[in-house]
């Protein structure tokens, strides 16, 4: 469940937004604040919390917009907007050399491996998979909405955008470490990463 912790506000919003989107956005914003506050003592820098802060920015903006324009046609595309914003966060984190998965991985991995090349490579790959999933989900949600495919199609797209990369994330680190061991013939995490 650690992998989905940063997405709890998004999952909450996705589960509730069909009813009243402005209150769902506010609930997701408040939940994001509570989770960030609860994690304040974990020692992670703000740059490692790009998902947390990016989520707060999105839900703050969406909350204001949704309360000011509750009947906006944009509501029909809120799933695509959510996926698009998550794509920006995940791919943007790679662009600034701080893969968003670092905050999640550092909760599980010992501190001495955080700066290694294998650890960083794993996080770049996992972040890229999440980013690709969100890009595809945003495009699929726009098409599903435009063609009136209905809520079941949108829900399937939304769930797939989280389940597919989550499944990849669960198994990939061990496969990558095993491949590194076989290739390098050494213990995992022995090479230091270049500074970001």
């Amino acid at each position: 469940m650690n992998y989905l912790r940063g997405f709890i506000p998004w999952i909450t919003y996705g589960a509730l937004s069909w009813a009243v989107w402005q209150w769902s956005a506010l609930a997701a914003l408040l939940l994001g604040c509570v989770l960030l506050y609860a994690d304040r003592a974990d020692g992670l820098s703000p740059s490692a919390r790009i998902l947390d802060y990016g989520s707060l920015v999105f839900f703050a903006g969406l909350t204001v917009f949704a309360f000011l324009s509750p009947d906006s046609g944009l509501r029909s595309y809120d799933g695509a907007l959510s996926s698009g914003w998550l794509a920006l966060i995940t791919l943007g984190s790679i662009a600034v050399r701080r893969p968003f998965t670092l905050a999640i991985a550092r909760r599980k991995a010992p501190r001495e491996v955080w700066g290694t090349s294998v650890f960083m490579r794993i996080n770049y790959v996992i972040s890229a998979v999440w980013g690709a999933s969100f890009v595809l989900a945003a495009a699929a949600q726009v098409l599903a909405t435009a063609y009136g495919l209905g809520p079941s199609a949108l829900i399937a797209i939304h769930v797939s955008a989280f389940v597919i990369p989550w499944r990849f994330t669960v198994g990939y680190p061990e496969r990558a470490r095993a491949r590194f061991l076989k290739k390098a013939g050494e213990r995992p995490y022995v090479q230091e990463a270049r500074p970001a």
Side-chain angles (χ1 to χ4, degrees), residues 92-116:
S93 73
I94 294 169
V96 299
R97 300 175 55 104
R98 295 282 183 214
F100 88 96
T101 55
L102 286 177
I104 300 161
R106 287 178 176 167
R107 285 189 181 105
K108 298 183 81 169
R111 187 175 288 272
E112 60 269 13
V113 304
W114 290 5
T116 63

Side-chain angles (χ1 to χ4, degrees), residues 124-183:
Y124 276 112
V125 170
I126 291 172
S127 293
V129 168
W130 281 93
S133 179
F134 292 133
V135 167
L136 293 173
Q141 288 166 328
V142 166
L143 292 172
T145 301
Y147 286 103
L149 297 183
S152 58
L154 292 169
I155 290 169
I157 294 166
H158 190 72
V159 169
S160 297
F162 286 93
V163 171
I164 293 169
W166 173 71
R167 290 296 304 148
F168 176 82
T169 301
V170 169
Y172 178 73
E174 285 306 315
R175 289 192 312 270
R177 282 192 288 273
R179 195 169 36 243
F180 175 78
L181 276 171
K182 187 174 182 179
K183 186 176 179 182

Side-chain angles (χ1 to χ4, degrees), residues 6-7 10 48-56 86 89-90 100 104:
F7 294 113
W10 298 93
R49 296 188 166 282
I50 194 164
L51 177 62
D52 299 327
Y53 290 113
S55 299
L56 294 180
L86 282 168
I89 291 172
T90 56
F100 88 96
I104 300 161

